[in-house]
Structure formats: structure tokens, C-alpha cells
Amino acid sequence: DLLLSSLQLSSTSTIIMDYAHKVFGQIVQPDLFMCNTIIRAAAYSSTPSLAFSLYFNQFINISMMRPDSFTFLFLLKACARLSSASTGAQLHGMIVKLGFQSDAFVRNALINLHATCGDLATAHSLFDDTATNDVVARSALIAGYAKRGQLGIARGLFDDETHCHTRDVVSWNIMIAGYVKQGQMDNARQLFDRAPQRDVVSWNTMIAGYAKCGCHARALEMWEEMRNAGGDASPDEATVLSLLSSCADSGALDV
RNA sequence: AUGGCAGUCUGUUC
């Protein structure tokens, strides 16, 4: 139980993961929840591929236990972190075979997986099939296009007025980050200013963008604005990390 | 003991 709960923490060290793996091997009949927990831990670890060997051992070799949608969500996460299109295609096949593709969470994670791996055609057609009114699916797809620099298509999806639930604070952040990644800070800034809500990620995205392109003064200005804006967006570790280089550049680094 | 219930869930910055 102790081990299970330490695996539920957000980050699990390699050592704990290793130990958990050994202990897990001693458990005679782990139930579905236990299997999911260890697969989840593996998926988020530095060796996501371990999730797949655990899956095959527990669900295929050892028992006839049936995986559930959680199991596949974690495998999808592992696969996305591996960024492996071929593993993704196989996993997709398994999911369809077992009938889990109708689960909205699984479907969105699939869209995310293909978008992450660069298989935008597959991601887009999954989206068109059943997910056009789902903001999570849409933003996963937008992120995929933005990642590959296809900002025109990304923007089209973002601006789509023909569907419902097309935007939230996350999708605004994704679109802003897309411009930032291409070094288009003016476009990023324009969107940022138009955004109905900003959270800490919105601010961090802009600050990191200015820092990365060497606009350290602008980065520091944003930080000042962020503090004045107050509200729900208080700075976090990511904010500080981006600011470090800008402070160093301006000579304002007093430690 | 058996049965049930609960717990794990998708997209953005670092």
C-alpha cells in the first residue's frame, strides 16, 4: 500500500520505480488497480517503454485479466512520451480491437499521440470523426500542427466558429506557444493581449519566449506586468527559470 | 467467504 501510494505521487524517481518493479514482481495476483498504478508510474518514468513490457506480462502472459480504459490511457501516455509512431499504430490497433476507442478520454489521448508523433493525417481524421466539439481533442491537434510549424492550419482550427467548445485557456496558450516557437513574438503578444483569461502558463510562455529570443528587457517587463496583474497567476518555478537568464543579461542578478 | 462500492484518467509553458 505504501509503495502504491508513493507511485501515485506526481514524480517517481528511478530508484523508487526500480524498487516498485521488483516488489511488483513478487505480488502473486495483482488486481487491475495495482497493474494500472505500476504501468502509470512506468509511463511517466524515464523509461516509458517499461509500461509496455508490464502490460504484456500482466494482461497477456500471466492472466486473462481485462485491461480497462485507464490501462490504455497510461500506455498512450507512455507511447506519446516515446514519440514512436510505429508503437502508436500498434497500440491504436489494440485499442480498436478491444473496443476502447469510443471512450472520449482514450480517443483524445489517441489524437494527442498521433499529433505528437507527427501523424497529423491520422490525428485529424480521428478529430473530424467524432471530436470536433471537444476542446481537448482540438487543442491536442492544434498543438501537433504548431509543433511542426504549420501555424496556418493550427490557427484555422483555433479560429473555427462552426463548432462549440473550441477554446479555453489551454488552447489559447497552445496557440500563443505556437507563435513563440516560431519566434513570432509580435503575433504571440497580440493573441496574449486578446486572451479572455491568462494563467501562469500564459505568462510563462511569453516570458520564456522573450528570453529565448534575447529580448530580456521585454521578459522582465512581462514579469512586472504579471506581478501587477495579480489574481490567480502567481509565478512558479518555470517563471523563475526563464527569468534567470534575463536577469543575468541585465546585470540585475543579485544573489 | 461472497458480493458491492470507492480510489488511478486526455491537450499548453519549464
Side-chain angles (χ1 to χ4, degrees), chain A residues 203-215:
Chain A
W203 289 99
N204 289 350
T205 304
M206 291 301 298
I207 291 172
Y210 282 130
K212 198 176 297 174
C213 69
C215 305

Side-chain angles (χ1 to χ4, degrees), chain A residues 66-166:
Chain A
R66 192 178 143 78
D68 64 3
S69 60
F70 288 104
T71 317
F72 285 107
L73 254 352
F74 301 142
L75 291 177
L76 284 160
K77 172 62 76 181
C79 197
R81 292 195 65 224
L82 289 167
S83 216
S84 161
S86 58
T87 312
Q90 284 178 276
L91 182 54
H92 192 158
M94 290 165 51
I95 287 169
V96 169
K97 205 168 291 176
L98 292 172
F100 284 104
Q101 83 286 5
S102 53
D103 180 286
F105 285 98
V106 172
R107 178 204 60 203
N108 291 351
L110 267 173
I111 292 171
N112 176 55
L113 170 64
H114 287 119
T116 300
C117 294
D119 189 351
L120 292 164
T122 304
H124 208 137
S125 83
L126 277 175
F127 171 75
D128 283 338
D129 282 349
T130 57
T132 49
N133 291 324
D134 188 311
V135 67
V136 172
R138 180 178 294 269
S139 52
L141 187 58
I142 293 174
Y145 281 112
K147 184 180 181 180
R148 298 178 63 100
Q150 313 233 37
L151 288 183
I153 303 177
R155 188 58 190 262
L157 286 159
F158 180 77
D159 285 335
D160 187 349
E161 305 279 0
T162 67
H163 296 280
C164 353
H165 311 120
T166 54

Side-chain angles (χ1 to χ4, degrees), chain A residues 160-209:
Chain A
D160 187 349
E161 305 279 0
T162 67
H163 296 280
C164 353
H165 311 120
T166 54
R167 292 177 182 185
D168 64 7
V169 65
V170 175
S171 58
W172 279 88
N173 290 345
I174 289 170
M175 203 59 233
I176 291 167
Y179 287 118
V180 166
K181 194 163 291 177
Q182 300 302 312
Q184 303 181 23
M185 288 308 295
D186 291 344
N187 286 327
R189 180 68 204 234
Q190 247 178 26
L191 265 194
F192 178 87
D193 289 338
R194 281 181 40 211
Q197 296 108 29
R198 296 169 196 93
D199 64 8
V200 62
V201 174
S202 327
W203 289 99
N204 289 350
T205 304
M206 291 301 298
I207 291 172

